[in-house]
PDB file of all heavy atoms in Angstrom:
ATOM      1  N   VAL A 847      87.547 152.357  97.426  1.00 96.00           N
ATOM      2  CA  VAL A 847      86.824 153.177  98.491  1.00 96.00           C
ATOM      3  C   VAL A 847      85.816 152.273  99.152  1.00 96.00           C
ATOM      4  O   VAL A 847      85.084 151.535  98.327  1.00 96.00           O
ATOM      5  CB  VAL A 847      86.173 154.336  97.788  1.00 96.00           C
ATOM      6  CG1 VAL A 847      85.273 155.154  98.812  1.00 96.00           C
ATOM      7  CG2 VAL A 847      87.179 155.290  97.096  1.00 96.00           C
ATOM      8  N   VAL A 848      85.838 152.248 100.531  1.00 96.00           N
ATOM      9  CA  VAL A 848      84.946 151.425 101.308  1.00 96.00           C
ATOM     10  C   VAL A 848      83.993 152.373 101.967  1.00 96.00           C
ATOM     11  O   VAL A 848      84.440 153.147 102.836  1.00 96.00           O
ATOM     12  CB  VAL A 848      85.619 150.487 102.205  1.00 96.00           C
ATOM     13  CG1 VAL A 848      84.699 149.792 103.101  1.00 96.00           C
ATOM     14  CG2 VAL A 848      86.607 149.546 101.415  1.00 96.00           C
ATOM     15  N   THR A 849      82.655 152.266 101.710  1.00 96.00           N
ATOM     16  CA  THR A 849      81.827 153.196 102.459  1.00 96.00           C
ATOM     17  C   THR A 849      81.041 152.327 103.518  1.00 96.00           C
ATOM     18  O   THR A 849      80.464 151.264 103.130  1.00 96.00           O
ATOM     19  CB  THR A 849      80.728 153.732 101.393  1.00 96.00           C
ATOM     20  OG1 THR A 849      81.523 154.435 100.446  1.00 96.00           O
ATOM     21  CG2 THR A 849      79.724 154.691 102.121  1.00 96.00           C
ATOM     22  N   CYS A 850      81.194 152.723 104.736  1.00 95.00           N
ATOM     23  CA  CYS A 850      80.541 152.098 105.885  1.00 95.00           C
ATOM     24  C   CYS A 850      79.306 152.838 106.298  1.00 95.00           C
ATOM     25  O   CYS A 850      79.282 153.976 106.370  1.00 95.00           O
ATOM     26  CB  CYS A 850      81.487 151.879 107.002  1.00 95.00           C
ATOM     27  SG  CYS A 850      82.912 150.942 106.651  1.00 95.00           S
ATOM     28  N   ARG A 851      78.254 152.111 106.676  1.00 94.00           N
ATOM     29  CA  ARG A 851      77.041 152.682 107.265  1.00 94.00           C
ATOM     30  C   ARG A 851      76.642 151.803 108.335  1.00 94.00           C
ATOM     31  O   ARG A 851      76.825 150.638 108.474  1.00 94.00           O
ATOM     32  CB  ARG A 851      75.891 152.631 106.144  1.00 94.00           C
ATOM     33  CG  ARG A 851      76.113 153.536 105.042  1.00 94.00           C
ATOM     34  CD  ARG A 851      74.723 153.490 104.214  1.00 94.00           C
ATOM     35  NE  ARG A 851      74.964 154.492 103.127  1.00 94.00           N
ATOM     36  CZ  ARG A 851      75.418 154.359 101.926  1.00 94.00           C
ATOM     37  NH1 ARG A 851      75.903 153.199 101.696  1.00 94.00           N
ATOM     38  NH2 ARG A 851      75.519 155.242 101.101  1.00 94.00           N
ATOM     39  N   GLY A 852      76.040 152.533 109.418  1.00 93.00           N
ATOM     40  CA  GLY A 852      75.461 151.805 110.464  1.00 93.00           C
ATOM     41  C   GLY A 852      76.356 151.872 111.746  1.00 93.00           C
ATOM     42  O   GLY A 852      76.856 153.031 112.083  1.00 93.00           O
ATOM     43  N   GLU A 853      76.508 150.794 112.524  1.00 93.00           N
ATOM     44  CA  GLU A 853      77.294 150.805 113.672  1.00 93.00           C
ATOM     45  C   GLU A 853      78.332 149.746 113.723  1.00 93.00           C
ATOM     46  O   GLU A 853      78.182 148.672 113.373  1.00 93.00           O
ATOM     47  CB  GLU A 853      76.305 150.490 114.811  1.00 93.00           C
ATOM     48  CG  GLU A 853      75.127 151.429 115.003  1.00 93.00           C
ATOM     49  CD  GLU A 853      74.228 151.042 116.163  1.00 93.00           C
ATOM     50  OE1 GLU A 853      74.553 150.108 117.070  1.00 93.00           O
ATOM     51  OE2 GLU A 853      73.246 151.714 116.295  1.00 93.00           O
ATOM     52  N   LEU A 854      79.659 150.322 113.997  1.00 90.00           N
ATOM     53  CA  LEU A 854      80.823 149.388 113.955  1.00 90.00           C
ATOM     54  C   LEU A 854      81.106 149.183 115.434  1.00 90.00           C
ATOM     55  O   LEU A 854      81.634 149.913 116.133  1.00 90.00           O
ATOM     56  CB  LEU A 854      81.965 150.171 113.310  1.00 90.00           C
ATOM     57  CG  LEU A 854      82.001 150.349 111.850  1.00 90.00           C
ATOM     58  CD1 LEU A 854      83.288 151.230 111.360  1.00 90.00           C
ATOM     59  CD2 LEU A 854      82.005 149.006 111.045  1.00 90.00           C
ATOM     60  N   ASP A 855      80.725 147.955 115.881  1.00 89.00           N
ATOM     61  CA  ASP A 855      80.764 147.543 117.269  1.00 89.00           C
ATOM     62  C   ASP A 855      81.342 146.177 117.368  1.00 89.00           C
ATOM     63  O   ASP A 855      81.951 145.709 116.365  1.00 89.00           O
ATOM     64  CB  ASP A 855      79.497 147.623 118.029  1.00 89.00           C
ATOM     65  CG  ASP A 855      78.265 146.907 117.531  1.00 89.00           C
ATOM     66  OD1 ASP A 855      78.638 146.041 116.497  1.00 89.00           O
ATOM     67  OD2 ASP A 855      77.148 147.041 117.906  1.00 89.00           O
ATOM     68  N   THR A 856      81.172 145.504 118.235  1.00 85.00           N
ATOM     69  CA  THR A 856      81.736 144.134 118.552  1.00 85.00           C
ATOM     70  C   THR A 856      81.282 143.094 117.410  1.00 85.00           C
ATOM     71  O   THR A 856      81.955 142.176 117.190  1.00 85.00           O
ATOM     72  CB  THR A 856      81.425 143.587 119.925  1.00 85.00           C
ATOM     73  OG1 THR A 856      79.895 143.420 120.107  1.00 85.00           O
ATOM     74  CG2 THR A 856      82.096 144.293 120.978  1.00 85.00           C
ATOM     75  N   GLY A 857      80.125 143.338 116.848  1.00 88.00           N
ATOM     76  CA  GLY A 857      79.648 142.600 115.675  1.00 88.00           C
ATOM     77  C   GLY A 857      80.354 142.804 114.432  1.00 88.00           C
ATOM     78  O   GLY A 857      80.141 142.010 113.420  1.00 88.00           O
ATOM     79  N   ALA A 858      81.143 143.917 114.447  1.00 90.00           N
ATOM     80  CA  ALA A 858      81.724 144.222 113.044  1.00 90.00           C
ATOM     81  C   ALA A 858      82.826 143.165 112.586  1.00 90.00           C
ATOM     82  O   ALA A 858      83.244 143.389 111.562  1.00 90.00           O
ATOM     83  CB  ALA A 858      82.352 145.648 113.204  1.00 90.00           C
ATOM     84  N   HIS A 859      83.188 142.313 113.541  1.00 90.00           N
ATOM     85  CA  HIS A 859      84.150 141.380 113.052  1.00 90.00           C
ATOM     86  C   HIS A 859      83.788 140.652 111.809  1.00 90.00           C
ATOM     87  O   HIS A 859      84.713 140.039 111.262  1.00 90.00           O
ATOM     88  CB  HIS A 859      84.516 140.466 114.219  1.00 90.00           C
ATOM     89  CG  HIS A 859      83.450 139.462 114.679  1.00 90.00           C
ATOM     90  ND1 HIS A 859      82.408 139.934 115.446  1.00 90.00           N
ATOM     91  CD2 HIS A 859      83.127 138.311 114.225  1.00 90.00           C
ATOM     92  CE1 HIS A 859      81.584 138.867 115.546  1.00 90.00           C
ATOM     93  NE2 HIS A 859      82.062 137.820 114.762  1.00 90.00           N
ATOM     94  N   VAL A 860      82.453 140.468 111.739  1.00 92.00           N
ATOM     95  CA  VAL A 860      82.046 139.611 110.495  1.00 92.00           C
ATOM     96  C   VAL A 860      82.370 140.377 109.118  1.00 92.00           C
ATOM     97  O   VAL A 860      82.221 139.774 108.171  1.00 92.00           O
ATOM     98  CB  VAL A 860      80.501 139.329 110.516  1.00 92.00           C
ATOM     99  CG1 VAL A 860      80.203 138.429 111.845  1.00 92.00           C
ATOM    100  CG2 VAL A 860      79.725 140.432 110.581  1.00 92.00           C
ATOM    101  N   LEU A 861      82.745 141.666 109.200  1.00 93.00           N
ATOM    102  CA  LEU A 861      82.964 142.330 107.915  1.00 93.00           C
ATOM    103  C   LEU A 861      84.469 142.236 107.518  1.00 93.00           C
ATOM    104  O   LEU A 861      84.880 142.623 106.445  1.00 93.00           O
ATOM    105  CB  LEU A 861      82.821 143.922 108.216  1.00 93.00           C
ATOM    106  CG  LEU A 861      81.384 144.355 108.584  1.00 93.00           C
ATOM    107  CD1 LEU A 861      81.472 145.824 108.974  1.00 93.00           C
ATOM    108  CD2 LEU A 861      80.410 144.068 107.398  1.00 93.00           C
ATOM    109  N   ARG A 862      85.302 141.587 108.355  1.00 94.00           N
ATOM    110  CA  ARG A 862      86.839 141.423 108.044  1.00 94.00           C
ATOM    111  C   ARG A 862      87.058 140.727 106.680  1.00 94.00           C
ATOM    112  O   ARG A 862      87.838 141.260 105.838  1.00 94.00           O
ATOM    113  CB  ARG A 862      87.386 140.561 109.184  1.00 94.00           C
ATOM    114  CG  ARG A 862      87.931 141.373 110.359  1.00 94.00           C
ATOM    115  CD  ARG A 862      88.865 140.621 111.189  1.00 94.00           C
ATOM    116  NE  ARG A 862      89.049 141.390 112.352  1.00 94.00           N
ATOM    117  CZ  ARG A 862      88.694 141.228 113.612  1.00 94.00           C
ATOM    118  NH1 ARG A 862      87.752 140.340 113.765  1.00 94.00           N
ATOM    119  NH2 ARG A 862      88.974 142.149 114.508  1.00 94.00           N
ATOM    120  N   PRO A 863      86.255 139.628 106.352  1.00 94.00           N
ATOM    121  CA  PRO A 863      86.595 138.986 105.005  1.00 94.00           C
ATOM    122  C   PRO A 863      86.366 140.036 103.875  1.00 94.00           C
ATOM    123  O   PRO A 863      87.004 139.932 102.979  1.00 94.00           O
ATOM    124  CB  PRO A 863      85.583 137.833 105.080  1.00 94.00           C
ATOM    125  CG  PRO A 863      85.349 137.522 106.454  1.00 94.00           C
ATOM    126  CD  PRO A 863      85.327 138.862 107.156  1.00 94.00           C
ATOM    127  N   GLU A 864      85.179 140.716 104.003  1.00 95.00           N
ATOM    128  CA  GLU A 864      84.886 141.648 103.022  1.00 95.00           C
ATOM    129  C   GLU A 864      85.793 142.824 102.769  1.00 95.00           C
ATOM    130  O   GLU A 864      86.126 143.230 101.689  1.00 95.00           O
ATOM    131  CB  GLU A 864      83.430 142.207 103.125  1.00 95.00           C
ATOM    132  CG  GLU A 864      82.743 142.793 101.862  1.00 95.00           C
ATOM    133  CD  GLU A 864      81.408 143.119 102.006  1.00 95.00           C
ATOM    134  OE1 GLU A 864      80.731 142.509 102.945  1.00 95.00           O
ATOM    135  OE2 GLU A 864      80.864 143.806 101.284  1.00 95.00           O
ATOM    136  N   LEU A 865      86.240 143.252 103.944  1.00 95.00           N
ATOM    137  CA  LEU A 865      87.226 144.270 104.023  1.00 95.00           C
ATOM    138  C   LEU A 865      88.571 143.875 103.454  1.00 95.00           C
ATOM    139  O   LEU A 865      89.310 144.668 102.711  1.00 95.00           O
ATOM    140  CB  LEU A 865      87.433 144.866 105.400  1.00 95.00           C
ATOM    141  CG  LEU A 865      86.185 145.652 105.938  1.00 95.00           C
ATOM    142  CD1 LEU A 865      86.402 145.956 107.475  1.00 95.00           C
ATOM    143  CD2 LEU A 865      86.129 146.958 105.236  1.00 95.00           C
ATOM    144  N   TYR A 866      88.961 142.681 103.757  1.00 96.00           N
ATOM    145  CA  TYR A 866      90.307 142.098 103.285  1.00 96.00           C
ATOM    146  C   TYR A 866      90.244 141.809 101.902  1.00 96.00           C
ATOM    147  O   TYR A 866      91.142 142.026 101.047  1.00 96.00           O
ATOM    148  CB  TYR A 866      90.633 140.826 103.977  1.00 96.00           C
ATOM    149  CG  TYR A 866      91.147 140.998 105.277  1.00 96.00           C
ATOM    150  CD1 TYR A 866      91.047 142.160 106.073  1.00 96.00           C
ATOM    151  CD2 TYR A 866      91.781 139.928 106.137  1.00 96.00           C
ATOM    152  CE1 TYR A 866      91.579 142.334 107.428  1.00 96.00           C
ATOM    153  CE2 TYR A 866      92.244 140.039 107.291  1.00 96.00           C
ATOM    154  CZ  TYR A 866      92.156 141.249 108.083  1.00 96.00           C
ATOM    155  OH  TYR A 866      92.720 141.401 109.244  1.00 96.00           O
ATOM    156  N   ALA A 867      89.009 141.404 101.212  1.00 95.00           N
ATOM    157  CA  ALA A 867      88.793 141.334  99.880  1.00 95.00           C
ATOM    158  C   ALA A 867      88.913 142.649  99.142  1.00 95.00           C
ATOM    159  O   ALA A 867      89.578 142.710  97.984  1.00 95.00           O
ATOM    160  CB  ALA A 867      87.425 140.646  99.527  1.00 95.00           C
ATOM    161  N   ALA A 868      88.388 143.727  99.707  1.00 95.00           N
ATOM    162  CA  ALA A 868      88.549 145.110  99.140  1.00 95.00           C
ATOM    163  C   ALA A 868      89.939 145.544  99.024  1.00 95.00           C
ATOM    164  O   ALA A 868      90.456 146.097  98.103  1.00 95.00           O
ATOM    165  CB  ALA A 868      87.661 145.950  99.956  1.00 95.00           C
TER     166      ALA A 868
END
Side-chain angles (χ1 to χ4, degrees):
V847 177
V848 176
T849 304
C850 296
R851 290 187 173 91
E853 299 180 7
L854 289 174
D855 57 10
T856 56
H859 68 277
V860 301
L861 298 174
R862 278 190 182 106
E864 197 172 346
L865 290 168
Y866 284 14

